[in-house]
Each structure stands twice: as structure tokens, then as C-alpha cells.
Amino acid sequence: MGSQKSLSATSFWRDRFAPGLDDFEAMAIAAYEALPEAFRDLCGDVEIRIADFADEAALDSVGVEDPLDLMGLFEGVGLAQGGAASWTGQMPNAVWLYRRAILDYWAENEETLGTIISHVLIHELGHHFGLSDEDMERVESEAG
């Protein structure tokens, strides 16, 4: 496999193969690290988790039947809902990225895989902050 630099060069993937969970996670981490530092600092302890598909509980929570229709999910109590204060027994906030749904979207569109991962990640982190779609677009443009 190529160097670590190849992971962020998302055109690398389009011409070769769909990444497995480990490589996909590395791409998600690279997308997170490309976000503005001030934004990352505000994310606090939000965990980024990768799975092939959303489980039934996640699908039910957003009213989606087909797991290929859900590319990401914010799980927890967002800052806008009082998530800045943690309670005993509260699970950490998490952003889920669903690899197979994202890969399916990637295969049907012209965007690079890295761009799609970044978009889904920012969108789900936006739920943590209570951001509008316009705010999320601004963060994406600053992330490059």
C-alpha cells in the first residue's frame, strides 16, 4: 500500500479499490484533522466510530429502513441540548460513519471519497453543535 500521504489523496482510492474499515477510519481521521482547529477544540470528546452499516436501533431512530440510505449519524446529547454537561452514566457523544452506505454513494457520484467522508463527518458534527446547513457549508469550505 502507498504512504500515509496516499490516504488523504482520495483520488488514490477511486482508481484502485474501496477501502476496508481500517483504511476508511484512517481517511475519517484525516478528514477530522483537516477541520479548523477551533472547530475541533469545540468537539471535545466526541468519538468518531466506523461501521459497515447502521444497526436496527440507529435506523429506527431516524426513520430509515434501508441501511444504504444512512451514511452517518450523531448519537448523544448535542451542545444545543445541554450536552456540554455530562451526567453520571451518560455515554460519550459519537459520530457514526457508515462505510458501505458512503461507498455506495461514492460509486454513484463524481465526488471523491475523501470529500464525501468529510461532508458526512461535518454534517454529523454539526448536529452536536446545533449548526445550520449554512454553518456546516462554511466549515466545509474552511476545511478545504
Side-chain angles (χ1 to χ4, degrees):
M1 181 181 305
S3 68
Q4 184 70 5
K5 184 176 181 181
S6 296
L7 292 176
S8 63
T10 53
S11 62
F12 171 85
W13 299 114
R14 180 170 297 285
D15 297 331
R16 289 165 179 80
F17 59 90
L21 285 170
D22 290 340
D23 288 334
F24 192 93
E25 181 178 28
M27 292 180 75
I29 290 167
Y32 179 78
E33 290 172 351
L35 296 173
E37 184 176 357
F39 185 82
R40 288 192 325 263
D41 288 346
L42 293 171
C43 289
D45 293 332
V46 173
E47 296 179 1
I48 299 171
R49 300 178 182 169
I50 310 297
D52 270 328
F53 293 105
D55 62 20
E56 285 298 319
L59 293 170
D60 290 345
S61 75
V62 293
V64 173
E65 291 184 21
D66 185 348
L68 289 174
D69 290 338
L70 187 60
M71 294 190 288
L73 181 70
F74 172 75
E75 181 179 71
V77 180
L79 294 178
Q81 292 77 37
S86 61
W87 304 287
T88 301
Q90 178 183 339
M91 297 298 291
N93 288 340
V95 168
W96 285 92
L97 300 178
Y98 300 115
R99 185 183 76 94
R100 294 288 305 273
I102 291 172
L103 292 175
D104 190 62
Y105 180 88
W106 172 53
E108 296 175 0
N109 292 277
E110 295 297 318
E111 298 169 76
T112 65
L113 182 55
T115 298
I116 297 165
I117 290 171
S118 182
H119 174 79
V120 174
L121 179 65
I122 289 169
H123 182 86
E124 299 310 329
L125 286 171
H127 290 303
H128 172 67
F129 293 109
L131 295 179
S132 68
D133 287 339
E134 293 80 20
D135 292 333
M136 289 184 221
E137 287 174 14
R138 188 171 50 255
V139 171
E140 281 186 271
S141 69
E142 290 174 13

